[in-house]
Amino acid sequence: KDLHAVLFPAGPVRPDVTEKFIDALGQLLDRAAQQVQEADLLHSAELLDDEEPRQRRDGLSAELSATLLGLRDTLTGLYGADTTRAYALADALPQLPTQLAQRARIVESLLRKQPLPARAARAGVTVKAAALADELSPLIDQLGVALDDVQRESREAQLTLERKTRAAEAWQRTYQGVTSAFYGLYLLAGRKDLAERIEPTARRRAGIPEDGDPSPPEPALKGGPPAGPTPAWG
């Protein structure tokens, strides 16, 4: 009422106009906070979706690595180190899945292009290079699909993170604007005591409570809106 009398000293505007204005400011802040929570939930859900493709990628990478090591042992035991080197299997295998897939493609290509020596070190043992390439091929393809899935999920996670960041920035701007508005309205209404409780100091603008501010509840979501005093007309 005090604020309404200051804003409309001559009348005849009804007090509910001022009340609606005050409510609109509070609802604006609530909507901004809700958008941050929704963006945070969406980003968290997207990160959970990333887990399965990454596990599948890592499992296929381990299986492909074991297969290549088995080929190395086979070729070295039957044909010697020179043959192993000719099929790009002499050097240590890459640890990164993308590089491992690339190495496996090179090995597969060499196995299809270069025939193995006619005679193996062990009599009666016959190995076909094409058969070894056929063993590698499905693992390489499956790992390639998993790598694509991980890359797609990473892009989607980046998009939801950007949305979350924009929502947090919008909340911060709204919070500062609403708090500053209530600060001025309290002063106009002669309630300096209330104005001082939410005065937009440097700490409060950064979302850090001043000494004596009521402790805000713990945010329900990690990365939620910054803490700080919430203006309330009273």
Side-chain angles (χ1 to χ4, degrees), residues 105-184:
R105 291 189 184 99
I106 293 173
V107 173
E108 180 196 12
S109 177
L110 291 172
L111 286 169
R112 296 194 187 282
K113 292 178 181 178
Q114 300 177 182
L116 287 166
R119 302 185 68 178
R122 292 178 59 185
V125 176
T126 301
V127 178
K128 293 183 178 180
L132 299 179
D134 290 341
E135 182 182 1
L136 281 176
S137 182
L139 289 176
I140 296 172
D141 292 342
Q142 292 171 33
L143 179 55
V145 171
L147 288 170
D148 290 341
D149 289 344
V150 169
Q151 188 175 21
R152 184 188 66 253
E153 292 293 341
S154 295
R155 289 195 299 266
E156 292 175 354
Q158 181 61 34
L159 291 175
T160 57
L161 177 59
E162 291 173 359
R163 174 180 172 180
K164 176 181 173 180
T165 300
R166 289 194 301 270
E169 292 172 348
W171 188 94
Q172 187 68 25
R173 292 193 301 270
T174 303
Y175 172 80
Q176 293 178 13
V178 170
T179 303
S180 297
F182 271 97
Y183 174 74

Side-chain angles (χ1 to χ4, degrees), residues 44-157:
S44 297
E46 184 57 47
L47 292 179
L48 289 176
D49 287 344
D50 290 357
E51 188 63 25
E52 190 277 332
R54 292 180 188 278
Q55 290 181 350
R56 181 157 39 88
R57 176 204 62 188
D58 293 344
L60 288 167
S61 180
E63 186 177 356
L64 180 58
S65 180
T67 301
L68 289 171
L69 290 174
L71 288 179
R72 174 194 292 174
D73 292 342
T74 297
L75 294 179
T76 301
L78 293 177
Y79 300 101
D82 289 342
T83 298
T84 302
R85 190 174 300 107
Y87 289 99
L89 285 169
D91 296 334
L93 296 179
Q95 297 298 312
L96 293 178
T98 52
Q99 296 178 1
L100 180 66
Q102 183 179 13
R103 173 74 71 83
R105 291 189 184 99
I106 293 173
V107 173
E108 180 196 12
S109 177
L110 291 172
L111 286 169
R112 296 194 187 282
K113 292 178 181 178
Q114 300 177 182
L116 287 166
R119 302 185 68 178
R122 292 178 59 185
V125 176
T126 301
V127 178
K128 293 183 178 180
L132 299 179
D134 290 341
E135 182 182 1
L136 281 176
S137 182
L139 289 176
I140 296 172
D141 292 342
Q142 292 171 33
L143 179 55
V145 171
L147 288 170
D148 290 341
D149 289 344
V150 169
Q151 188 175 21
R152 184 188 66 253
E153 292 293 341
S154 295
R155 289 195 299 266
E156 292 175 354

